[in-house]
Amino acid sequence: MKLSILDQIPVPKGHSAEQAFLRTEQLALLGEELGFNRMWLAEHHNSASLASSAPEITAAYLAAKTKRLRIGTGGVMMMHYSPYKLAEVFKTLSALAPNRIDFGVGRAPGGDHASIYALAEGRRQHFDEQYDKLDTILKLMNNQKTGESVYDQVVASPTISQLPEAWLLGSSGQSAMQAGQRGVGYSYAQFFTGNMSKDIFDTYKSYFTPSYYMEKPQIIVTYATTVADTLEEAEYLAKPIDITRLQLMKGQIIQAMSPEEAQDYPLTEMDKMMIENNRKANIVGTPKDVAAFLVAEQEQYGFDEVMLNCNQYAQESRLNCYKLLAKELISQ
């Protein structure tokens, strides 16, 4: 099974952003050593708990630190940026790391209303024009005419021989047809809600039209996972993640606490029910059990690659999660 990494650069309680970036670098080096296929960086704004506000910059740094691992964004939030600028940024990355860069793009804001407003310099955002923007980006990257006069006199530089792979992110299925029609990969965020439907992927495949960016349909599904040698240990490590997600549902963004602190965190019966329901979005267990679950999911839904998001508090636990699943799955 192809395994990859999604990193949001979490900043746990008691840690600094600088430490979080060092942890991300360690993860990239480990991922390459273990045989992971790619590593993507998410984009989040106005957050003390996640340091991933500029994924294209982190991608450049990690691409320079690695030799084989594909590096990309999962994704850059295109609503905030000029199509021309994005085309030039990712062509530059591809020139620096040929055949190793992924242009993963999302339609979500990656932040709250205040950050959306600030990124737009106070202008009103047009949420309904995202697919048109993606078309423009893809054409500019491939040196094609866009049909928009503003781009008639420009070429997205540098001129390179190999463009990045292009991927459209989704979490509800709405973008599956759009990804297929544009001939780009489709990356589905199972870890957002824990819900998934084979119809979504069948729709993507049925509409897929080969393009410069991809000859055949490719689907990645991202899962949040907490894995340890025993189920009891995995449950212990997962509780801070459970609480962070619970608070997010209540509109509160908090830094992840340690497992020790989480054990004494006050929870109502309603909180416990919500956590139990949320567990479908955080797969918790032993390496063999979680690996068996992921294999069964791939067989049922027919996707090509699993991307893992492991946000345990301690770096040792986080890296161990990737190690244990790599041992079970990468050879399959």
Side-chain angles (χ1 to χ4, degrees):
M1 176 184 283
K2 280 187 178 181
L3 282 187
S4 291
I5 298 166
L6 173 66
D7 189 28
Q8 299 164 305
I9 317 183
V11 186
K13 193 174 179 180
H15 294 68
S16 67
E18 290 84 354
Q19 289 173 315
F21 282 110
L22 287 174
R23 286 160 55 118
T24 287
E25 181 182 345
Q26 291 170 356
L27 177 55
L29 295 174
L30 177 68
E32 178 153 274
E33 178 186 334
L34 294 174
F36 279 79
N37 187 40
R38 65 184 93 226
M39 180 172 175
W40 284 0
L41 294 311
E43 179 174 336
H44 294 277
H45 299 284
N46 201 22
S47 172
S49 60
L50 301 171
S52 53
S53 60
E56 70 281 7
I57 294 176
T58 311
Y61 180 83
L62 295 182
K65 292 286 184 176
T66 53
K67 296 179 180 178
R68 180 202 57 80
L69 190 69
R70 295 193 65 90
I71 302 290
T73 51
V76 66
M77 299 295 113
M78 61 181 165
M79 67 180 296
H80 304 304
Y81 311 112
S82 153
Y84 186 53
K85 180 62 175 177
L86 285 180
E88 292 199 321
V89 164
F90 281 86
K91 290 181 78 172
T92 299
L93 286 170
S94 290
L96 291 168
N99 300 310
R100 290 179 52 216
I101 297 298
D102 295 334
F103 171 59
V105 63
R107 298 178 300 119
D112 58 11
H113 291 295
S115 58
I116 296 170
Y117 191 69
L119 285 162
E121 300 179 88
R123 297 186 298 270
R124 188 175 72 85
Q125 283 283 12
H126 299 283
F127 294 92
D128 57 346
E129 298 176 359
Q130 301 266 14
Y131 295 123
D132 292 338
K133 180 175 271 193
L134 178 57
D135 289 336
T136 301
I137 297 166
L138 295 175
K139 288 175 181 175
L140 285 169
M141 275 205 288
N142 203 16
N143 297 326
Q144 296 175 319
K145 292 295 183 183
T146 66
E148 301 175 58
S149 59
V150 68
Y151 303 114
D152 282 348
Q153 305 300 315
V154 298
V155 173
S157 60
T159 300
I160 58 176
S161 58
Q162 181 65 48
L163 297 183
E165 281 189 7
W167 294 79
L168 180 60
L169 278 61
S171 59
S172 65
Q174 293 181 3
S175 55
M177 179 180 72
Q178 304 288 345
Q181 289 175 332
R182 287 160 177 78
V184 300
Y186 186 55
S187 178
Y188 187 83
Q190 190 274 355
F191 74 107
F192 277 13
T193 64
N195 297 321
M196 199 156 62
S197 165
K198 189 173 184 298
D199 291 341
I200 294 172
F201 303 145
D202 289 343
T203 295
Y204 165 70
K205 292 174 183 177
S206 67
Y207 279 94
F208 187 85
T209 303
S211 73
Y212 173 90
Y213 296 96
M214 208 159 282
E215 294 181 355
K216 59 182 182 179
Q218 292 189 57
I219 299 170
I220 293 173
V221 176
T222 302
Y223 294 86
T225 55
T226 301
V227 174
D229 290 322
T230 66
L231 178 58
E232 291 75 18
E233 184 184 1
E235 291 284 352
Y236 177 75
L237 296 175
K239 193 166 184 181
I241 300 172
D242 292 335
I243 293 171
T244 299
R245 183 181 286 268
L246 173 69
Q247 294 305 107
L248 182 62
M249 292 179 68
K250 294 179 177 181
Q252 300 175 24
I253 299 175
I254 63 171
Q255 289 180 286
M257 62 189 71
S258 69
E260 293 81 7
E261 184 179 354
Q263 302 315 302
D264 297 324
Y265 192 85
L267 295 170
T268 67
E269 289 304 313
M270 180 62 71
D271 289 338
K272 293 175 183 178
M273 290 174 60
M274 291 175 69
I275 285 174
E276 184 177 354
N277 184 60
N278 288 339
R279 270 301 177 84
K280 61 187 178 182
N282 183 23
I283 314 306
V284 179
T286 65
K288 289 191 180 300
D289 287 344
V290 173
F293 171 83
L294 294 173
V295 169
E297 289 274 286
Q298 185 179 46
E299 291 174 352
Q300 179 179 351
Y301 294 104
F303 52 80
D304 303 286
E305 189 170 336
V306 166
M307 188 168 274
L308 301 174
N309 176 243
C310 302
N311 278 355
Q312 288 69 42
Y313 175 87
Q315 178 73 337
E316 182 181 359
S317 301
R318 190 164 168 246
L319 297 181
N320 195 45
C321 185
Y322 290 103
K323 288 178 185 177
L324 291 172
L325 287 175
K327 183 177 180 181
E328 293 291 332
L329 291 168
I330 284 183
S331 61
Q332 294 190 24

